[in-house]
Amino acid sequence: MYRYKQTDQRLVEDRVAQFRDQMTRFLDGRLGEDEFRPLRLQNGLYVQRHAPMLRVAIPYGTLAAYQLRTLADIARRFDRGYGHFTTRCNIQFNWVRLEEVPDILAELAAVQMHAIQTSGNCIRNITTDPFAGVAADELFDPRPYCEIVRQWSTLAPEFLFLPRKFKIAFAGGAEDRAAVRFHDIGAVARVADDGRIGFEIFVGGGLGRTPMVGRSMRDFLPREELLNYFEAILRVYNRHGRRDNKYKARIKILVKDLTLEGFVREVEDEWAWTRGGAGCISDATFREMEAFFARPAPEPASDDDSAYLAALAGNRAFVRWVERNVSAHRKPGHAIVTLSLKKTGVPPGDATAEQMDGVAELAERFSAGEIRVSHEQNLVLPHVARRDLPALWEGLRALGLATPNIGLLTDLVCCPGGDFCSLANARSIPVAAAIQQRFDDADYQFDLGPLELNMSGCVNACGHHHIGHIGILGVDKNNEEWYQVTLGGREGSRAALGRVIGPSFAAGQIPDVIAQLLEVYVGVRHEGEIFIDALERVGLEAFKARVYGSERAQGAEA
């Protein structure tokens, strides 16, 4: 992973000192709330429903074991003993005290972490595939490019006050595991016929109040032009993006208003001023960044280790876990392991200080000290020898992190909702708990197969409900909490937005509604056909009719 240089370290330490002074002046009344608000937001500090919340950046979702231990220590000393991993691959501490935030930031700076630009109308945390660098289907590792963009965008004066927040994601494999088409800019690895490395560029994706799927604006951008082209996009957005209405300020609205063709013309005209110039990324820079992420050759390992094979033969629980939580690695004899933060009864994405400490220890023993955070709110160990899987599984079971449900119904994505967020219309966590409890049957979930359920407490869509195969959105009806259901969302190369199936439901109805939807699926599926494929084949009507009754379904809003 990237290691700070002296300049990097000085920057974050200076930032801590600056914010400590700002906090002191706010607490003693020399800075008003309106003056302090933009200062705290650009340091990741929110004021939530019950307490301040601090959002800490985890660049492209990569953590070292010592950094995770620091997060555990912060959770223990400054919060209530846990942290919440988000769909932006960050971590949030929901119960911090204002006066202690500068001390937390100082602790983070000591381990090369910060909270810079985790809020505000600026370029947010750069995200990528949690399997980056080790995925079997990868064209090339996107993390060096994430780091180049992170350094370019951090505290860049021209882009600190954009019309609205701005999100960038990279994907390096044939399978998009970073949801790049739902970002303001998405970059997908491509290799030209002549061997040149570059990216296909998508623009104008995003969720929230007006969800849109990003559209391809350039099928191949040479890698050396990455910053020049991103700069051109941002300059066009900065120039033309709306600042009079925050609900219409995202770049997706600008692309829609200008049309994709018109937007591309604007960007290409802007790019013409810098293309091939001093802003091109040099080969030396690429080599330097790639060196940070190059790993020593792993020890030779085999898929047919005797202890591993014995565990597969004699332990059904271990087999279930391997089937769902272990993924193919590019190196023979190795595996990528996903740790489920979705155990029934635990808010999705939450991890205790003890669990974080335990994962750090397991990462040092089995994964070269490295941990990843996924946008599905799980943790990943990317460098595990298959012979170590039985021992790792035992360690994860002791921590409560070995639930074999990755990609299944109870591996649901969920924002904190009305229990914490002051923007939420409804609570998410109790409904998620009810769903997990209702369907906490491994045999049933395995029979259903892959199914993505995403839930948000408001239209800001922090739970990515639009892209769940089943999506749930909390809405306010006459000051009461209700829940709208969508079907048909998906990420990846066939990205699509879910469609509302009809009128909303009370919280207590949601588990029954999901059960009815699943009954339809089981009745219509072909052998081996997953939920989303069956839904796309037969259409919404059969599902709507089961939930609402055939007559009401005909009049329900689609």
Side-chain angles (χ1 to χ4, degrees):
M1 59 187 291
Y2 180 74
R3 305 288 181 180
Y4 278 14
K5 299 177 184 177
Q6 186 176 1
T7 303
D8 302 314
Q9 190 64 39
R10 177 67 182 272
L11 184 149
V12 296
E13 289 174 355
D14 285 352
R15 185 74 168 190
V16 172
Q18 180 190 57
F19 188 66
R20 190 182 295 279
D21 177 66
Q22 292 165 348
M23 179 65 77
T24 298
R25 288 187 287 138
F26 171 69
L27 292 175
D28 68 17
R30 286 179 288 157
L31 274 181
E33 176 59 45
D34 289 342
E35 297 171 296
F36 185 59
R37 184 181 299 110
L39 303 176
R40 65 170 170 78
L41 285 175
Q42 288 207 349
N43 286 278
L45 180 59
Y46 288 74
V47 175
Q48 296 284 72
R49 189 178 296 275
H50 303 297
M53 178 269 282
L54 181 66
R55 179 182 295 152
V56 177
I58 303 176
Y60 35 93
T62 297
L63 281 168
Y66 65 87
Q67 292 175 322
L68 187 57
R69 282 198 179 92
T70 295
L71 296 177
D73 189 50
I74 288 169
R76 191 177 289 111
R77 292 168 52 209
F78 296 101
D79 204 278
R80 295 187 175 181
Y82 72 96
H84 174 73
F85 290 97
T86 77
T87 53
R88 290 299 301 161
C89 307
N90 294 316
I91 187 170
Q92 295 180 176
F93 295 106
N94 289 313
W95 299 95
V96 299
R97 290 170 286 278
L98 277 181
E99 64 273 15
E100 293 181 342
V101 170
D103 294 331
I104 298 173
L105 296 178
E107 299 272 347
L108 293 169
V111 292
Q112 303 186 352
M113 298 187 74
H114 60 76
I116 298 169
Q117 290 177 214
T118 57
S119 183
N121 294 334
C122 53
I123 299 172
R124 300 286 186 90
N125 189 36
I126 312 299
T127 59
T128 193
D129 182 352
F131 296 176
V134 294
D137 66 338
E138 190 170 77
L139 294 177
F140 55 86
D141 188 348
R143 291 174 300 163
Y145 305 91
C146 293
E147 179 59 30
I148 289 170
V149 173
R150 186 194 72 83
Q151 292 190 19
W152 164 78
S153 63
T154 300
L155 300 180
E158 187 175 357
F159 306 131
L160 279 178
F161 298 96
L162 295 167
R164 198 71 174 88
K165 59 187 176 182
F166 203 90
K167 300 176 182 179
I168 300 172
F170 286 79
E175 181 182 348
D176 172 16
R177 287 174 289 267
V180 297
R181 291 163 180 81
F182 297 102
H183 286 74
D184 298 284
I185 297 176
V188 178
R190 297 286 183 254
V191 177
D193 292 340
D194 60 4
R196 289 181 302 149
I197 289 176
F199 296 91
E200 182 177 1
I201 304 300
F202 292 82
V203 70
L207 301 177
R209 188 177 297 267
T210 311
M212 295 185 187
V213 179
R215 300 173 67 187
S216 177
M217 65 178 296
R218 174 164 276 271
D219 57 8
F220 185 82
L221 177 74
R223 67 175 187 167
E224 63 270 15
E225 290 287 347
L226 193 64
L227 299 185
N228 287 337
Y229 202 74
F230 280 15
E231 190 172 81
I233 293 172
L234 280 152
R235 282 181 172 165
V236 170
Y237 174 48
N238 225 354
R239 185 182 307 137
H240 298 295
R242 294 184 61 171
R243 287 180 162 85
D244 61 323
N245 185 337
K246 71 177 183 178
Y247 301 119
K248 297 183 178 181
R250 296 291 293 272
I251 196 173
K252 60 190 176 185
I253 304 298
L254 178 62
V255 173
K256 181 175 182 291
D257 288 347
L258 293 178
T259 73
L260 178 65
E261 296 74 17
F263 181 81
V264 170
R265 281 197 301 272
E266 291 271 355
V267 171
E268 296 282 327
D269 287 348
E270 182 67 39
W271 183 36
W273 292 95
T274 57
R275 184 174 185 174
C280 286
I281 307 169
S282 68
D283 287 342
T285 297
F286 288 126
R287 287 193 297 271
E288 179 186 10
M289 286 301 168
E290 288 163 356
F292 282 110
F293 298 96
R295 299 205 59 81
E299 294 182 15
S302 171
D303 286 343
D304 58 2
D305 175 77
S306 58
Y308 170 60
L309 294 178
L312 285 178
N315 191 323
R316 186 166 180 263
F318 176 70
V319 171
R320 280 272 171 91
W321 178 76
V322 170
E323 288 177 358
R324 294 310 319 168
N325 296 43
V326 177
S327 302
H329 195 288
R330 66 189 311 159
K331 298 292 186 183
H334 289 77
I336 305 165
V337 177
T338 302
L339 286 54
S340 175
L341 298 184
K342 314 293 177 57
K343 183 178 180 179
T344 295
V346 176
D350 280 9
T352 66
E354 291 71 23
Q355 287 175 322
M356 287 188 268
D357 279 335
V359 171
E361 180 182 353
L362 291 173
E364 288 175 334
R365 288 176 59 194
F366 300 119
S367 186
E370 186 176 345
I371 306 102
R372 310 277 179 84
V373 183
S374 75
H375 74 274
E376 291 93 355
Q377 300 176 282
N378 291 312
L379 301 181
V380 174
L381 298 182
H383 308 291
V384 181
R386 284 192 175 269
R387 63 172 175 265
D388 291 330
L389 287 173
L392 173 60
W393 175 65
E394 292 288 359
L396 293 174
R397 289 181 72 197
L399 294 171
L401 299 175
T403 305
N405 66 344
I406 298 303
L408 301 181
L409 176 59
T410 58
D411 181 24
L412 55 86
V413 173
C414 180
C415 73
D419 285 306
F420 295 97
C421 181
S422 58
L423 300 177
N425 294 316
R427 292 174 296 169
S428 301
I429 294 173
V431 178
I435 294 169
Q436 289 176 319
Q437 185 172 8
R438 173 70 173 271
F439 301 104
D440 188 18
D441 181 321
D443 290 335
Y444 179 64
Q445 290 191 67
F446 270 72
D447 176 68
L448 288 175
L451 199 163
E452 297 175 7
L453 193 154
N454 293 20
M455 182 174 179
S456 301
C458 75
V459 294
N460 288 298
C462 293
H464 295 180
H465 65 277
H466 297 105
I467 61 174
H469 301 165
I470 300 174
I472 302 171
L473 168 65
V475 296
D476 184 329
K477 290 175 61 175
N478 301 318
N479 295 318
E480 293 183 352
E481 296 178 338
W482 289 76
Y483 297 85
Q484 191 178 77
V485 174
T486 60
L487 290 178
R490 71 190 306 167
E491 53 188 283
S493 59
R494 297 170 59 193
L497 297 166
R499 289 181 288 166
V500 178
I501 65 169
S504 54
F505 303 92
Q509 295 176 289
I510 290 295
D512 288 336
V513 169
I514 293 172
Q516 291 168 337
L517 295 172
L518 297 177
E519 287 170 5
V520 176
Y521 161 59
V522 170
V524 302
R525 66 181 173 181
H526 294 160
E527 185 175 356
E529 187 177 38
I530 67 172
F531 178 90
I532 185 62
D533 291 341
L535 173 65
E536 290 183 351
R537 176 174 55 82
V538 304
L540 289 180
E541 292 307 316
F543 293 86
K544 291 165 60 176
R546 179 68 179 86
V547 172
Y548 294 108
S550 57
E551 292 184 6
R552 189 176 180 188
Q554 291 175 1
E557 296 181 8

